[in-house]
Amino acid sequence: MKLLVRNPLIVTMNEDNDVIENGAMVVAGNRLAYVGPAEWAPLGPFDRTIDASRMIAMPGMVNSHCHSPANLVRGMMPSKPLEIWRAYYRASLRDMRDEDFYASALLGGMEMLKSGTTTVLDHFFGNQACRFMGAGAAIQAMRDLGLRHVVALTLSDKSYEETIPLGNTAADLNNEIKRMSQKEGKPTKAWLDDCEAFIDTLHAPEKLTTACPGPSAVQRCTDELLAKSAEMARRRNLPIHIHLAETKAQQVMGRQLRQIAFAASGFAGRVRRGPLAGALNLD
Ligand SMILES: [Zn+2]
């Protein structure tokens, strides 16, 4: 299959940020064979020609963070601060199964492809009643679409109520939150073993899949889980993905839970001077 794309405005995104008017692109099989001015384009014959006059051709966009199971319940949760909204969202996940995770990833993936996104990072948390929480079904959907995907399996070995600043809320409310989160807990080693098996089973760059650890957030993981998931990513030469201070409550909890440990290890001093100082907001 040889395809000619004729006359697009090409935004190259190369080092010089070159923009080519009246460009041409030739695709041979699944490779770009030519990108440049139309007058230098190789001659045909071509199996197909697309007239892209008045169109822009550019590298695919990257969606660097999403949670694919959320597509099916978009707009259905009350508009609340994240820490409260998340309890509603988690409740909906407990009713979802593999076919739902497949449909949800398919829906979001179709939207992304239609609007120019060709790579997505899915920080996946589904239902613990399903194998790998349903991540395999989401991966299958993105493979079926031909959408390149990095799937970071969410890891969190702390209970929900430990991760939010509940303060002195009513005791029965705290008990209800504990009851809801009890079923989601499992030991640190089980999270790590599950992630190793997830990567062994589903990591396959030739099928567009990068599988990697995705510890949920600093305040949602023990030190052991954070350190060992980082070690796993290094050992397997994979990326690692994490939320960092998404909300005011997380920033407060991050400080409460981590600053003492950082200070004790001397890490805080190193971070304050390093390139992460702004991102970690430890000053
Ligand atoms: Zn997120």
Side-chain angles (χ1 to χ4, degrees), residues 65 67 243 246:
H65 185 82
H67 303 279
H243 294 107
E246 290 176 286

Side-chain angles (χ1 to χ4, degrees), residues 1 35 52 57 60 83 91 104 109 115 120 134 155 157 164 166 189 197-198 201 212 215 244 257 259:
M1 174 76 179
V35 177
E83 285 70 24
S104 203
S115 53
V120 59
L155 312 172
D157 61 348
I164 48 177
L166 283 172
K189 185 172 184 308
F198 163 71
T201 309
C212 70
L244 190 62
L257 294 168
Q259 203 160 24

Side-chain angles (χ1 to χ4, degrees), residues 34-279:
Y34 176 79
V35 177
E39 61 264 33
W40 298 345
L43 298 174
F46 300 103
D47 301 302
R48 191 179 162 209
T49 299
I50 295 175
D51 180 11
S53 308
R54 302 178 56 78
M55 293 186 188
I56 294 173
M58 57 182 277
M61 289 186 280
V62 177
N63 177 349
S64 60
H65 185 82
C66 79
H67 303 279
S68 68
N71 293 314
L72 274 192
V73 292
R74 196 185 296 169
M76 292 170 69
M77 306 290 152
S79 182
K80 302 277 186 196
L82 177 67
E83 285 70 24
I84 300 168
W85 177 90
R86 190 167 175 264
Y88 289 87
Y89 176 51
R90 288 290 182 105
S92 71
L93 294 178
R94 287 193 280 272
D95 276 340
M96 290 172 75
R97 297 291 181 271
D98 277 343
E99 61 181 4
D100 306 304
F101 295 121
Y102 180 88
S104 203
L106 199 70
L107 181 65
M110 284 160 60
E111 270 187 336
M112 283 184 258
L113 285 174
K114 275 190 80 174
S115 53
T117 296
T118 55
T119 301
V120 59
L121 188 141
D122 188 356
H123 199 177
F124 193 91
F125 186 94
N127 183 343
Q128 297 206 46
C130 304
R131 190 162 193 233
F132 308 134
M133 298 192 283
I139 284 172
Q140 190 58 52
M142 293 184 277
R143 284 180 183 169
D144 290 349
L145 287 169
L147 175 65
R148 192 179 303 279
H149 48 285
V150 180
V151 179
L153 194 70
T154 298
L155 312 172
S156 171
D157 61 348
K158 284 196 177 179
S159 62
Y160 178 61
E161 64 272 12
E162 285 179 274
T163 67
I164 48 177
L166 283 172
N168 297 319
T169 46
D172 53 349
L173 174 60
N174 278 359
N175 289 337
E176 180 60 15
I177 291 170
K178 275 184 195 157
R179 191 187 65 77
M180 281 165 49
S181 69
Q182 248 165 11
K183 285 187 197 149
E184 293 178 351
K186 62 182 178 186
T188 307
K189 185 172 184 308
W191 283 104
L192 291 161
D193 288 349
D194 201 36
C195 190
E196 297 271 15
F198 163 71
I199 295 166
D200 287 341
T201 309
L202 290 161
H203 179 68
E206 73 285 0
K207 295 179 182 171
L208 306 179
T209 309
T210 298
C212 70
S216 183
V218 285
Q219 77 279 8
R220 296 185 193 135
C221 301
T222 60
D223 287 358
E224 183 187 4
L225 184 61
L226 287 173
K228 289 192 172 165
S229 48
E231 184 276 326
M232 189 191 306
R234 263 195 301 273
R235 170 167 40 83
R236 289 172 169 267
N237 198 24
L238 292 170
I240 188 168
H241 191 73
I242 191 167
H243 294 107
L244 190 62
E246 290 176 286
T247 65
K248 178 74 177 178
Q250 290 181 18
Q251 195 244 19
V252 168
M253 285 306 287
R255 272 173 185 261
Q256 275 183 26
L257 294 168
R258 294 283 158 202
Q259 203 160 24
I260 297 164
F262 284 166
S265 68
F267 182 64
R270 294 204 299 278
V271 170
R272 280 201 181 98
R273 288 190 296 275
L276 289 175

